């Protein structure tokens, strides 16, 4: 009986916490890219912003195609080939959609 009460209380507390910010799956995945490509794909916020491409605002199709090319090895790269191999096709689409929806960084 105690477990049922705790479960109901837990559900009530979870339902009451509707003011919490929800982070999209694409944004969660994109957090891994921030160290090199900047926050939300804005390379101005990245340490190596002068040498890496900005991802924010690029067409979704181009971003997804690039990630798939890195994953297959048809687009060589020292780092991105290894990173892209860890993503499923669904995750690649989520990443591409997330970055495409971001405001393009201004020079």
């Amino acid at each position: 009986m105690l477990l049922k009460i705790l479960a109901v209380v837990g559900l009530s507390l979870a339902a009451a916490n509707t003011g919490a910010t929800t982070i999209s799956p694409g944004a969660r995945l994109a957090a891994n890219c921030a160290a090199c490509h900047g926050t939300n794909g804005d390379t101005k916020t990245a340490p190596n912003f002068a040498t890496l491409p900005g991802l924010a605002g690029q067409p979704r199709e181009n971003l997804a195609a690039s990630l798939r090319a890195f994953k297959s090895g048809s687009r060589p790269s020292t780092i991105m080939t290894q990173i892209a191999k860890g993503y499923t096709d669904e995750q690649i689409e989520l990443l591409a959609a997330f970055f495409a929806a971001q405001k393009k960084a201004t020079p």
Side-chain angles (χ1 to χ4, degrees), residues 11-22:
L11 289 173
S12 298
L13 291 173
N17 191 16
T18 58
T21 302
T22 303

Side-chain angles (χ1 to χ4, degrees), residues 90-103:
E90 180 184 7
Q91 289 171 324
I92 286 173
E93 291 301 325
L94 287 169
L95 279 165
F98 174 80
F99 285 122
Q102 303 308 302
K103 184 177 178 183

Side-chain angles (χ1 to χ4, degrees), residues 12-104:
S12 298
L13 291 173
N17 191 16
T18 58
T21 302
T22 303
I23 300 172
S24 74
R28 286 184 192 278
L29 290 168
N32 294 320
C33 310
C36 298
H37 292 281
T39 304
N40 296 332
D42 180 359
T43 53
K44 285 187 189 177
T45 63
N48 300 316
F49 75 91
T51 59
L52 296 171
L55 303 176
Q58 286 196 30
R60 183 195 59 75
E61 299 83 10
N62 294 3
L63 292 164
S66 288
L67 283 170
R68 284 192 295 272
F70 285 130
K71 183 175 181 173
S72 72
S74 64
R75 182 174 177 184
S77 172
T78 13
I79 296 171
M80 282 305 303
T81 300
Q82 297 305 313
I83 292 170
K85 285 180 181 181
Y87 291 124
T88 65
D89 291 338
E90 180 184 7
Q91 289 171 324
I92 286 173
E93 291 301 325
L94 287 169
L95 279 165
F98 174 80
F99 285 122
Q102 303 308 302
K103 184 177 178 183
K104 190 170 188 166

